[in-house]
Amino acid sequence: MQSIHSQLEDKILSLKKGAIVFVSDFAEFGTAENVKKVLLRLEKKQLLVRLAHGIYLYPKIDKELGILYPSTESIAEAIAKRDKIRIIPTGIYALQQLGISTQIPMNVIYLTDGAPRKIKVGKRTITFKKTAPKNLAIKNKVLSNIVQGLKELGKENITDEVKQKINQALEKVPVEILKEEILNAPVWVRNEVLSLNN
């Protein structure tokens, strides 16, 4: 009978480097308490890196750069997948994804249909803010970023440069998806996007 430690270690070693793992991923091996203890030991052994409470990384290590940490987005998406919730980035982060803002926010806020909470990852903070389901109705990631980005900027701050960036992003959105999903955006945002797309 393999010990919980070696079973858990074998499972981690079978993963792809760069994988994000949670205590709940190892529920089959024992109680949450026991799994936590083993993960702590594996962290001391430097097999894992602790990203936040209950969240670990099976790290990819670069000869020159050392540990390659996942992006805030990868961590947020891994949490969303685990909790079976939907998330979309808001404001500044959406603008940065579109190349409209060069600011990389340390505190990334996502709208979610799951529980609201804050997760501290090193110096970064991921905040999940509860929102109405209609705000999550746009499933296309690029279009969702465009809508959230425009809402962040406000109608009066849409410059020609912003329009150009949004036009470039819209090229990645299939026309039928755009026509269907943009109906979930506020009217002024919808009009703005559709006028650009003509």
Side-chain angles (χ1 to χ4, degrees), residues 3 9 15 33-34 37 39 48 55 57 69 74-75 84 94 103 108 110-111 125 151 158 161 167 174 176 181-182 191:
S3 72
E9 190 167 347
L15 299 171
E33 222 28 68
N34 286 342
K37 282 178 190 158
L39 292 175
L48 290 176
I55 308 173
L57 172 72
Y69 284 91
S74 309
I75 299 168
K84 299 181 176 57
Q103 215 181 329
V108 181
Y110 286 89
L111 298 179
T125 307
K151 278 162 78 175
I158 298 166
E161 191 191 349
N167 240 335
E176 58 282 6
E181 294 202 347
I182 198 65
N191 294 341

Side-chain angles (χ1 to χ4, degrees), residues 9-10 21 40 55 98 115-116 118 136 139 153 157 195:
E9 190 167 347
D10 287 349
V21 295
L40 204 67
I55 308 173
L98 294 166
K118 275 189 179 184
L136 298 160
K139 293 184 178 62
L153 282 173
N157 298 315
S195 72

Side-chain angles (χ1 to χ4, degrees), residues 169-180:
L170 282 170
E171 285 168 17
K172 297 177 198 140
V173 183
V175 175
E176 58 282 6
I177 287 179
L178 171 66
K179 284 187 171 151
E180 186 187 325

Side-chain angles (χ1 to χ4, degrees), residues 15-177:
L15 299 171
K16 219 171 124 191
K17 293 248 182 188
I20 295 167
V21 295
F22 301 94
V23 173
S24 55
D25 292 341
F26 307 103
E28 72 217 68
F29 300 123
T31 63
E33 222 28 68
N34 286 342
V35 168
K36 276 180 198 163
K37 282 178 190 158
V38 175
L39 292 175
L40 204 67
R41 270 185 259 154
L42 294 175
E43 185 196 355
K44 286 198 176 116
K45 244 176 107 172
Q46 295 183 335
L47 180 70
L48 290 176
V49 174
R50 185 175 178 270
L51 293 174
H53 181 70
I55 308 173
Y56 292 85
L57 172 72
Y58 176 36
K60 240 187 204 164
I61 296 173
D62 181 88
K63 283 195 184 81
E64 284 156 27
L65 303 170
I67 294 167
L68 300 176
Y69 284 91
S71 66
T72 308
E73 190 180 14
S74 309
I75 299 168
E77 282 175 355
I79 295 166
K81 197 174 162 190
R82 176 196 67 178
D83 295 350
K84 299 181 176 57
I85 57 171
R86 289 182 297 168
I87 61 167
I88 56 165
T90 59
I92 304 284
Y93 194 64
L95 291 172
Q96 191 240 332
Q97 297 280 296
L98 294 166
I100 292 169
S101 166
T102 50
Q103 215 181 329
I104 297 178
M106 291 306 275
N107 183 10
V108 181
I109 300 169
Y110 286 89
L111 298 179
T112 181
D113 54 0
R117 65 209 138 134
K118 275 189 179 184
I119 296 144
K120 203 119 178 68
V121 182
K123 294 193 176 103
R124 299 173 286 176
T125 307
I126 299 170
T127 303
F128 289 145
K129 264 173 107 167
K130 183 95 173 150
T131 190
K134 73 171 186 351
N135 290 325
L136 298 160
I138 297 175
K139 293 184 178 62
N140 181 281
K141 227 171 163 177
V142 177
L143 189 57
S144 173
N145 280 335
I146 290 170
V147 171
Q148 291 302 323
L150 287 173
K151 278 162 78 175
E152 174 73 24
L153 282 173
K155 202 173 182 175
E156 55 294 338
N157 298 315
I158 298 166
T159 60
D160 288 342
E161 191 191 349
V162 168
K163 288 180 179 178
Q164 196 186 344
K165 294 271 190 201
I166 285 173
N167 240 335
Q168 286 167 354
L170 282 170
E171 285 168 17
K172 297 177 198 140
V173 183
V175 175
E176 58 282 6
I177 287 179

